[in-house]
Amino acid sequence: MSRFWSPVVHQLTPYVPGEQPKLDTLIKLNTNENPYGPSPKVLAAIRAATDDSLRLYPDPSGEKLKDAIAGYHGVSRPQVFVGNSSDEVLGIVFQALLKHEQPLLMPDISYGFYPVYCGLFGIEARQVPLDDSLSIRVEDYRQPCGGVILANPNAPTGRLLPLSAIRQLLDDHPDQVVVIDEAYVDFGGETAIALVNDYPNLLVVHTLSKSRSLAGLRVGYAVGDATLIEALERVKNSFNAYPLDRLALAGAVASFEDDDYFRHTCQAVMRTREQLTVQLQALGFEVLPSAANFVFARHPQHDAAMLATGLRQQAVIVRHFTAPRINQYLRISIGTDAECTRLVQVLGSLLS
């Protein structure tokens, strides 16, 4: 602590990201990164962009990327906002659209950045408990609020709400912004972007980090009514007029130009997820239904923290959360088939 800190700093509990270990020999199943590399077209586009033009500022509006996103989702350019990771996009969303007199509603178990942003921007948060099966019940959100934010599929549970539930939530809150954070939707869900032209209060946030294998580029975007996007642009341009660099823009555009590769790798992750689920269940684990690139699992006879420690001792790392309702679960990112096979082998030895 320091006497030079602003008062808000003393009150913050920062988000703790998943560990990024320095050892290359570890099987890393703790941060939901894609086990498959980016499209070769992405790598070629980045290489082509590493020329003398790096001395120049990038396009501050990211118009070529917005056009690629708009074309992919069937919306118009004014309905698209781009930023340096979905975390930055969410931070701007919290400032521009979710700070009101009434509290912001969110699940009690969800992405850990949501309450952090509330603390940073002075937003009152009201956490709505998941049910006993760790599912979101949209009827529990029928209460006065200044806005709603949900991750769908939820994290770290992986559970998915159907579009009918999202539509119900929007109908219940016509005068509040409803933000749907779809970081994992490409692994088995249906995007709510299909609803944005019907609901001016809907904003959908995506990332290129997971399904498009670009966590290292830090690119995110939001799609919604043009008036919502205008609010995001006003905040962004009051803070950082050049959020995406030339290499990130080039790689991100190229990722939308290789749809075959994108779909192929998503399908590969989903196949491995289903295989891993069956294998974990055979070992006695309870595995929540997942539409993400991870599974959330617990073993009724074995402590999750001890299993995580045992896995680490065998050079396999997974994510263990200590929150009371989920402290017996492990969140396991989907790796390659070989990595998941090794995970199951080690778990089998720990359980025997």
Side-chain angles (χ1 to χ4, degrees):
M1 292 187 178
S2 167
R3 61 191 176 92
F4 300 112
W5 286 8
S6 297
V8 68
V9 178
H10 294 273
Q11 304 167 18
L12 293 177
T13 302
Y15 174 74
V16 179
E19 179 188 5
Q20 294 289 347
K22 302 299 186 291
L23 298 175
D24 295 333
T25 55
L26 290 175
I27 293 178
K28 188 173 178 294
L29 305 177
N30 67 322
T31 51
N32 300 341
E33 293 146 325
N34 199 311
Y36 306 105
S39 159
K41 292 183 180 180
V42 169
L43 300 179
I46 293 172
R47 283 193 292 267
T50 55
D51 57 20
D52 185 63
S53 66
L54 289 179
R55 66 187 177 82
L56 303 173
Y57 283 112
D59 174 8
S61 299
E63 290 187 358
K64 190 174 181 181
L65 176 56
K66 288 180 180 178
D67 286 342
I69 294 168
Y72 180 80
H73 289 294
V75 297
S76 63
R77 185 199 290 174
Q79 292 177 283
V80 179
F81 177 82
V82 296
N84 189 357
S85 80
S86 62
D87 288 333
E88 181 185 69
V89 172
L90 286 167
I92 293 172
V93 168
F94 272 70
Q95 295 175 79
L97 300 173
L98 299 178
K99 186 172 183 178
H100 300 285
E101 292 184 2
Q102 295 273 19
L104 173 64
L105 302 183
M106 64 185 69
D108 66 332
I109 298 169
S110 193
Y111 186 30
F113 242 130
Y114 301 158
V116 171
Y117 280 143
C118 286
L120 181 61
F121 300 126
I123 300 170
E124 180 185 353
R126 180 178 297 163
Q127 296 184 326
V128 180
L130 301 182
D131 68 13
D132 291 341
S133 66
L134 299 183
S135 298
I136 293 171
R137 294 178 299 205
V138 293
E139 57 268 27
D140 293 343
Y141 288 78
R142 291 175 186 153
Q143 53 181 291
C145 66
V148 179
I149 184 165
L150 303 177
N152 192 44
N154 196 19
T157 66
R159 285 191 175 275
L160 178 73
L161 286 174
L163 281 191
S164 59
I166 302 300
R167 189 182 290 273
Q168 183 61 61
L169 191 65
L170 290 159
D171 287 335
D172 290 342
H173 295 282
D175 299 319
Q176 290 80 37
V177 172
V178 175
V179 179
I180 307 298
D181 182 358
E182 295 187 338
Y184 303 101
V185 76
D186 294 323
F187 297 108
E190 186 178 2
T191 177
I193 291 175
L195 305 179
V196 296
N197 288 328
D198 297 330
Y199 292 94
N201 59 326
L202 171 63
L203 189 80
V204 184
V205 178
H206 274 225
T207 177
L208 274 63
S209 294
K210 314 299 185 184
S211 58
R212 295 184 183 274
S213 307
L214 292 175
L217 280 193
R218 315 305 296 129
V219 179
Y221 62 93
V223 179
D225 188 83
T227 59
L228 301 183
I229 300 303
E230 181 184 0
L232 303 184
E233 296 285 1
R234 288 172 66 89
V235 172
K236 186 267 286 186
N237 289 327
S238 300
F239 177 71
N240 180 7
Y242 295 93
L244 288 171
D245 62 54
R246 285 178 169 270
L247 303 186
L249 288 169
V253 169
S255 75
F256 285 97
E257 295 173 347
D258 196 350
D259 197 54
D260 288 343
Y261 184 88
F262 162 71
R263 295 186 184 279
H264 174 75
T265 54
C266 286
Q267 289 293 329
V269 169
M270 288 188 281
R271 284 194 301 270
T272 303
R273 182 188 68 209
E274 300 313 310
Q275 294 168 3
L276 178 60
T277 297
V278 171
Q279 293 168 329
L280 290 173
Q281 289 171 336
L283 291 175
F285 280 89
E286 300 170 1
V287 185
L288 295 188
S290 175
N293 67 336
F294 58 84
V295 294
F296 206 49
R298 67 177 178 181
H299 199 289
Q301 279 84 45
H302 294 268
D303 179 71
M306 293 183 65
L307 289 175
T309 299
L311 284 167
R312 187 181 186 85
Q313 291 171 346
Q314 296 295 318
V316 180
I317 55 174
V318 298
R319 190 81 187 265
H320 174 241
F321 296 90
T322 58
R325 294 188 68 193
I326 57 173
N327 62 3
Q328 288 305 309
Y329 283 86
L330 299 176
R331 193 195 68 189
I332 304 169
S333 303
I334 303 304
T336 63
D337 286 342
E339 289 172 334
C340 289
T341 295
R342 176 58 181 161
L343 165 80
V344 172
Q345 289 173 342
V346 176
L347 283 172
S349 66
L350 294 174
L351 299 175
S352 62

